[in-house]
Amino acid sequence: MRISRFFVGGFFILTIHLLGIAQRGIVPIHQIQGEGNISPYDGRTVTTRGIVTFISQRGFYVQVPDNEVDDNPKTSEGIYVFTNDVIPPGIAVGNLIEVTGTVTEYRPRNERYFLTITEIINPGIKVLSRNNPLPTPQTLTLNDLNPQGKIDQLERFEGMRVKVDSLIVIGPTGGFEDKKSGAIVSDGVFYGILPKTPRPFREPGVSVLTWLVDKLPQNIPIFDMNPEILRVDSDVQEGSKPLDVAVGMTVRSLIGVIDYSRRAYTLLLDTKSQTPVLEGQRKFIKVSPAGSRETTIGFFNLENFFDDEKNSENIQDETILPKEIFRVRLNKASLAIREVLSYPDILGVEEVENIKVLRKLAEKINSDAIKANQPDPKYEAILEEGNDGRGIDVGFLIKSSRVKVLEVQQLAKNEKINFGNRTGYLYDRPPLLVKVEILDEKNPTVLTVIVNHFKSYLGIDDPENGEYVRQQRRRQAEWLANYLVERQKSNPNEIIVVGGDFNSFQFSDGYNDLIGILIGNPSQNVLAPSKTSFPTGLIDLVNFLEPLNRYSYVFEGSAQVLDHILLNGPAQERALKFGYARLNADFPKIYSNDETRPERISDHDPPVVYLSLDPLNKKTN
């Protein structure tokens, strides 16, 4: 036995070479990986060998040479070697090495819903040869990324080099905020499917991982997590640049190593082996302006629309944007509302900091319209402070050139929820109601609009707080549904439009069925069912769209609806058109920095409904 010592980055790296003994006791990688998720060698010390194929920040991947591959397609020929913060000397792509270490099944700390990753830790390393050809990448096919497949169908490629000839983007490149400048930095991560695969959508139920880990009741519906989706990390390799792509684009010639991260199989892109090719640039899709006998009502989650000033002493860690970033956001929001939403008459907004910020946006839109030689919409801002800990609220932009405000009412601000040993406000962001008159010489029309921003999914599956979150969400929907029932009793002919970010799908998510509560038909197959049916008479307009257009948000590659417009009976009798302006959910986060384009001012696509100013004497069915 020979022990080599390397001093790297302030640490001694001990590399143990078990000459002779190690050679006789080598365990092939495919035996370590086995046919299942858990290695048959879990917890044991092994010696194996392979060619270094990819180096990451905290470890590297090795794979057996082509001539040592076994004949079992269910076992992977690659494995990850974890070295913490130091890559030992001698580790270079193409080197054939011998590794001695402990096999472990890794799961990130505090991550309950996760397929474990087989890896080798505390490695001793011996370099056997250098500059070897890399193992031939396996081409992924529709049999490997199968919509009907299991969530672990790529387990047999874990740690291996693979190739994707063509990938259709179904989740745009993400990003994060640079803490110093406030600008968005691309994270290089996007999601794709193979050609001929239908676009994946969120389906009813809790994720299958959650259902399995938490051992939920049999009646709870299960979402298969769309196993046909491949997550791609395009800039993890040293020296590589991120691929910033939009939904619908095609990326060709991808080679990389299969990892598992963020509950998804991930291709760690190897741009040194092959340069990907991008095809099919796209831009926003606008909605049409209101016709002469129409009025338009939209709802827009503006995603953390804070300004550049200190506004409140009551909010800890208040978000204050750099002046330049706020200027860019104002410009993009103005572009979005003018050029993509086509100046809606009434626009409910969510995630706005305060009335001062919303007034600044209204003034910006109005002045930009005049500069563009367009009619001044004379937008006016309406917002009431709520209970949100970060200070975000709901409000309205009202086009006063065409709309007269008759009434403003904040609903349920002081309503409380008591559950278990906890008490709090029912709504962080209480619903806001406006009653308005659409100014029209022939037929002035009075209608009521309620903007909403329900509690998010954050913490919904938490072992300690999850039940409180589920019950709060249920009671928010029940309060609003009951309010609508009672309001319509006193005025059954009132036209009511209810919309916003409900943080809920158009079907049960297995935890709650909030939209079901609002339309009077809640599912009981949820963890927090509503025992009361509220005959609101509401319908959810998203159900009348073609299936491929039923989304306002994209999460980890799955398109889904969080933003809804619901109409009561009298509103249904005037409904003409409905759709989503496409400018956010499908576009890369890096577009947030570009003030010349409206795309990615937010992560939600806004819904817009068109109502006739003349009664149609028919109800949508």
Side-chain angles (χ1 to χ4, degrees):
M1 179 173 70
R2 185 176 87 252
I3 300 178
S4 302
R5 297 168 58 135
F6 300 93
F7 188 76
V8 179
F11 296 93
F12 277 109
I13 307 298
L14 292 181
T15 301
I16 304 174
H17 307 304
L18 302 177
L19 302 177
I21 296 175
Q23 195 68 23
R24 291 192 299 271
I26 284 181
V27 181
I29 290 175
H30 52 255
Q31 287 188 19
I32 298 172
Q33 285 282 11
E35 293 188 3
N37 285 292
I38 305 299
S39 168
Y41 289 83
D42 185 26
R44 296 168 58 181
T45 298
V46 300
T47 299
T48 191
R49 53 177 272 163
I51 297 172
V52 178
T53 59
F54 195 94
I55 300 173
S56 63
Q57 288 185 335
R58 307 190 71 185
F60 58 91
Y61 297 81
V62 293
Q63 184 173 334
V64 302
D66 288 344
N67 61 354
E68 296 181 18
V69 174
D70 73 345
D71 58 0
N72 184 354
K74 296 181 180 180
T75 59
S76 170
E77 302 292 345
I79 197 166
Y80 180 61
V81 181
F82 177 71
T83 62
N84 205 349
D85 293 323
V86 176
I87 303 298
I91 297 304
V93 171
N95 284 4
L96 177 65
I97 66 170
E98 193 173 280
V99 181
T100 299
T102 303
V103 178
T104 187
E105 292 292 334
Y106 171 73
R107 175 184 285 111
R109 185 179 301 174
N110 300 324
E111 177 59 85
R112 297 169 59 226
Y113 312 114
F114 196 85
L115 298 178
T116 59
I117 304 168
T118 304
E119 59 183 44
I120 296 174
I121 62 173
N122 302 319
I125 297 159
K126 176 184 178 182
V127 178
L128 303 177
S129 62
R130 303 175 188 275
N131 300 318
N132 296 280
L134 298 185
T136 304
Q138 300 292 305
T139 300
L140 296 184
T141 70
L142 291 172
N143 290 328
D144 305 313
L145 290 170
N146 185 345
Q148 282 73 49
K150 297 180 179 179
I151 57 171
D152 61 350
Q153 62 184 340
L154 289 185
E155 168 72 18
R156 66 191 187 98
F157 296 108
E158 182 185 89
M160 288 180 60
R161 299 186 80 226
V162 301
K163 179 180 180 183
V164 180
D165 294 327
S166 183
L167 196 72
I168 310 299
V169 179
I170 44 88
T173 308
F176 56 92
E177 181 182 315
D178 180 88
K179 296 301 182 183
K180 182 176 292 186
S181 68
I184 297 299
V185 179
S186 173
D187 65 6
V189 174
F190 62 93
Y191 297 81
I193 52 175
L194 295 183
K196 299 183 180 179
T197 305
R199 182 173 185 176
F201 281 72
R202 184 54 161 87
E203 297 155 1
V206 300
S207 73
V208 60
L209 273 178
T210 302
W211 190 86
L212 290 170
V213 171
D214 289 346
K215 298 180 174 60
L216 298 180
Q218 293 290 324
N219 69 311
I220 302 298
I222 302 171
F223 168 50
D224 67 1
M225 300 178 67
N226 289 328
E228 66 270 33
I229 294 175
L230 180 65
R231 183 176 181 266
V232 180
D233 194 338
S234 65
D235 66 348
V236 67
Q237 191 176 51
E238 185 178 358
S240 61
K241 295 181 179 180
L243 300 180
D244 291 305
V245 293
V247 170
M249 292 179 63
T250 299
V251 186
R252 301 191 188 277
S253 303
L254 297 95
I255 290 178
V257 172
I258 290 294
D259 188 29
Y260 185 81
S261 181
R262 303 295 178 92
R263 307 184 193 181
Y265 283 101
T266 301
L267 178 67
L268 305 180
L269 200 58
D270 180 2
T271 55
K272 295 180 180 178
S273 293
Q274 192 157 303
T275 302
V277 178
L278 307 182
E279 299 175 357
Q281 294 288 344
R282 56 167 295 194
K283 60 177 294 187
F284 64 83
I285 302 174
K286 66 182 296 182
V287 297
S288 59
S292 61
R293 307 303 306 152
E294 299 172 352
T295 186
T296 49
I297 302 138
F299 296 88
F300 200 172
N301 184 322
L302 286 167
E303 190 186 9
N304 299 325
F305 207 78
F306 296 96
D307 68 2
D308 53 355
E309 300 177 16
K310 177 72 174 175
N311 292 289
S312 174
E313 300 297 332
N314 300 322
I315 298 175
Q316 295 181 348
D317 300 322
E318 179 183 347
T319 299
I320 303 174
L321 296 182
K323 289 187 180 299
E324 175 62 14
I325 297 299
F326 181 54
R327 186 188 68 79
V328 170
R329 296 217 72 199
L330 273 178
N331 201 65
K332 289 180 71 70
S334 173
L335 279 171
I337 293 168
R338 291 183 296 113
E339 296 188 3
V340 188
L341 274 70
S342 299
Y343 294 99
D345 293 333
I346 302 163
L347 183 63
V349 294
E350 306 98 51
E351 295 200 23
V352 176
E353 183 177 13
N354 53 41
I355 185 62
K356 183 170 64 174
V357 177
L358 195 56
R359 283 173 178 160
K360 289 179 181 178
L361 178 55
E363 292 166 2
K364 175 66 174 172
I365 299 169
N366 297 338
S367 63
D368 285 349
I370 294 170
K371 290 177 184 178
N373 294 318
Q374 295 173 339
D376 183 358
K378 298 181 180 178
Y379 275 113
E380 294 181 354
I382 297 173
L383 183 145
E384 297 287 342
E385 288 294 329
N387 305 314
D388 187 87
R390 293 195 302 130
I392 56 174
D393 300 301
V394 299
F396 285 98
L397 288 173
I398 303 294
K399 189 196 290 184
S400 65
S401 63
R402 199 176 187 216
V403 180
K404 179 182 179 181
V405 176
L406 305 177
E407 176 189 351
V408 177
Q409 182 182 358
Q410 188 178 46
L411 307 178
K413 179 177 182 178
N414 297 318
E415 290 287 326
K416 296 292 185 70
I417 175 175
N418 301 293
F419 185 81
N421 60 354
R422 293 185 58 181
T423 299
Y425 285 109
L426 175 60
Y427 289 102
D428 297 319
R429 301 163 293 267
L432 186 62
L433 176 151
V434 292
K435 187 174 183 179
V436 301
E437 178 183 332
I438 309 301
L439 303 176
D440 181 71
E441 292 183 0
K442 180 179 177 182
N443 191 22
T445 302
V446 174
L447 54 88
T448 297
V449 183
I450 304 174
V451 61
N452 303 268
H453 189 190
F454 280 9
K455 185 171 181 60
S456 76
Y457 279 96
L458 184 64
I460 200 167
D461 54 9
D462 183 82
E464 293 185 12
N465 300 317
E467 186 61 20
Y468 181 86
V469 173
R470 297 191 287 269
Q471 295 299 332
Q472 184 178 8
R473 284 163 55 84
R474 172 183 69 85
R475 295 185 188 183
Q476 286 180 349
E478 289 180 340
W479 190 97
L480 180 60
N482 183 67
Y483 173 84
L484 290 166
V485 169
E486 295 303 315
R487 186 178 181 96
Q488 292 180 92
K489 285 180 180 178
S490 60
N491 186 1
N493 296 317
E494 183 177 18
I495 300 170
I496 301 178
V497 179
V498 182
D501 178 3
F502 290 93
N503 275 310
S504 179
F505 314 128
Q506 68 270 41
F507 38 64
S508 159
D509 53 33
Y511 300 108
N512 299 104
D513 185 10
L514 305 186
I515 299 300
I517 292 172
L518 290 173
I519 66 175
N521 186 30
S523 170
Q524 296 302 300
N525 295 325
V526 293
L527 293 179
S530 176
K531 302 301 183 183
T532 305
S533 179
F534 298 91
T536 63
L538 297 179
I539 61 167
D540 187 355
L541 291 179
V542 72
N543 295 317
F544 296 89
L545 293 178
E546 292 293 325
L548 286 177
N549 283 321
R550 294 177 189 173
Y551 71 99
S552 67
Y553 193 82
V554 178
F555 181 70
E556 296 179 347
S558 293
Q560 53 198 249
V561 180
L562 296 179
D563 307 82
H564 304 257
I565 294 182
L566 313 175
L567 304 182
N568 76 337
Q572 294 169 42
E573 295 174 1
R574 293 173 178 259
L576 297 171
K577 295 184 293 185
F578 170 75
Y580 290 90
R582 299 298 181 196
L583 75 160
N584 293 315
D586 290 338
F587 294 92
K589 185 70 173 174
I590 196 73
Y591 285 8
S592 300
N593 297 330
D594 189 347
E595 66 175 305
T596 67
R597 61 191 312 163
E599 294 98 336
R600 205 66 195 203
I601 177 62
S602 168
D603 49 359
H604 292 246
D605 282 342
V608 179
V609 64
Y610 298 70
L611 300 183
S612 173
L613 297 180
D614 305 308
L616 301 177
N617 298 318
K618 64 178 181 179
K619 183 179 292 188
T620 306
N621 52 46

